[in-house]
Amino acid sequence: MAGKPLKTQALERVGKDWSNASGTREKNLGNIRRLCDRIEDKFGLEKLDNLKEKHLQAVFNDMRAEGMASTTIAGYATAARTVAESIGKANIVPRDNESLGAGRAGERLCPKDVNHEGLQTTRDAVAKENLWHGLAADMSRDFGLRLEGSVSRFSVVQMDGQDYLRVTEKGNLTRHVPFENQRQVETAKAVFAHIRERNQTSLIPTGMTRKQGYDSLRMAWRDAGGTKANNANFHAFRHAYVQERTGNNVASMTREEKQALVKAIGHGDTSKLRHYSN
């Protein structure tokens, strides 16, 4: 790969499925390009495989010195992890954003007072018009999925004797959410049956792109009255999922419990739990 710009090497490793790229994935790919440009400008690095922790630390130090917002640095941190994983060097990027200067806990400690009744009412309303919208909501409710993940391709895998839902979301990264109760089992069965009966690959109807599917669900949810203003927007399902598992008391959890939960919801460090739960 020598001779190619660093960002080109990175994008080839990560993959560029632009035809079906979500907004989140496009943003991450953009951050990958800009991050690689910074590394190349600063160090003249020619081969992506030679990327080391010292290169990334220096670039993130520059970002902090420039006064870059922590939320922006957090985006670059996600990009750095994506690149590092693509070359088999995940350990060169810290899993916690704080050490990279992107500690957002203080800025985003905003657990929602979830409107459970509003979520259910909105779910029933969208399902009445399009059943798959309601099933997507059930997946978010029972597995803590983002809107994008709720209409992803799903599979069930077993690891260490435990069943997990395998789902891909947010930057095309795969995560595994444990099955913990019968409601999750019944929801997954209903979703898989719906997909199978229609000969689809996901909840998104045949003929729709992924983006069209996301937009369809997002707009239907909004039009049915699920909004941030009434704490019944789609993302509130994730807050409810975490709050149920923390008992709304993150401080009482062991380190192992926090790590397992934050991994299940698709974040890199346990401080993120405080965004969803007290």
Side-chain angles (χ1 to χ4, degrees):
M1 289 188 181
K4 295 181 179 180
L6 211 60
K7 60 187 174 187
T8 301
Q9 297 177 46
L11 291 176
E12 288 178 351
R13 290 291 188 92
V14 171
K16 300 183 293 181
D17 186 7
W18 289 102
S19 62
N20 290 309
S22 70
T24 299
R25 179 164 167 76
E26 289 181 10
K27 182 178 180 181
N28 191 38
L29 291 173
N31 283 336
I32 288 172
R33 293 197 308 272
R34 289 184 286 273
L35 177 66
C36 288
D37 283 342
R38 281 177 171 266
I39 295 169
E40 196 166 27
D41 290 344
K42 188 175 182 67
F43 296 102
L45 196 66
E46 295 182 353
K47 293 187 65 177
L48 189 66
D49 287 319
N50 292 335
L51 183 65
K52 297 180 179 179
E53 182 178 3
K54 67 179 182 180
H55 299 132
L56 292 170
Q57 284 290 351
V59 168
F60 279 97
N61 286 343
D62 289 346
M63 292 179 187
R64 292 196 298 271
E66 293 167 12
M68 187 177 289
S70 61
T71 52
T72 303
I73 295 177
Y76 280 110
T78 298
R81 293 188 186 103
T82 303
V83 171
E85 289 170 4
S86 77
I87 61 174
K89 293 184 176 182
N91 63 334
I92 66 175
V93 186
R95 298 309 302 174
D96 62 295
N97 287 344
E98 283 74 12
S99 61
L100 295 174
R104 301 193 295 178
E107 301 172 11
R108 299 187 60 194
L109 289 180
C110 49
K112 288 183 180 295
D113 183 11
V114 178
N115 180 353
H116 294 275
E117 182 178 353
L119 285 173
Q120 185 63 44
T121 298
T122 307
R123 183 266 176 213
D124 292 343
V126 299
K128 187 175 181 180
E129 294 297 322
N130 285 292
L131 177 58
W132 73 272
H133 287 161
L135 291 173
D138 294 344
M139 292 298 286
S140 182
R141 177 196 65 201
D142 294 336
F143 294 94
L145 305 181
R146 300 175 177 87
L147 183 144
E148 175 186 348
S150 72
V151 291
S152 176
R153 295 187 181 188
F154 308 114
S155 61
V156 177
V157 298
Q158 191 172 78
M159 300 183 295
D160 299 323
Q162 167 77 49
D163 286 336
Y164 290 83
L165 180 77
R166 183 178 187 273
V167 59
T168 301
E169 63 175 26
K170 197 172 185 182
N172 220 28
L173 299 178
T174 298
R175 64 185 173 98
H176 299 85
V177 186
F179 279 84
E180 302 169 315
N181 54 61
Q182 189 60 30
R183 188 172 76 174
Q184 289 176 312
V185 173
E186 295 304 320
T187 293
K189 284 182 178 179
V191 168
F192 286 129
H194 179 91
I195 293 172
R196 185 171 56 251
E197 289 167 4
R198 289 159 179 77
N199 196 29
Q200 298 171 182
T201 58
S202 72
L203 281 174
I204 298 175
T206 301
M208 270 191 184
T209 66
R210 281 190 288 178
K211 185 177 186 306
Q212 288 171 336
Y214 305 154
D215 290 343
S216 172
L217 176 56
R218 185 179 296 108
M219 289 186 291
W221 197 264
R222 179 200 62 197
D223 293 345
T227 66
K228 285 185 178 180
N230 65 4
N231 284 337
N233 61 317
F234 201 89
H235 197 69
F237 280 125
R238 279 173 62 77
H239 287 255
Y241 177 87
V242 174
Q243 289 170 16
E244 180 180 347
R245 282 150 185 78
T246 62
N248 223 7
N249 186 2
V250 174
S252 69
M253 300 175 70
T254 66
R255 180 184 179 186
E256 290 72 22
E257 288 172 335
K258 292 178 184 177
Q259 289 175 332
L261 180 54
V262 81
K263 182 177 180 181
I265 63 174
H267 278 300
D269 67 276
T270 57
S271 69
K272 296 297 185 297
L273 293 177
R274 295 297 302 277
H275 174 56
Y276 298 96
S277 175
N278 292 308

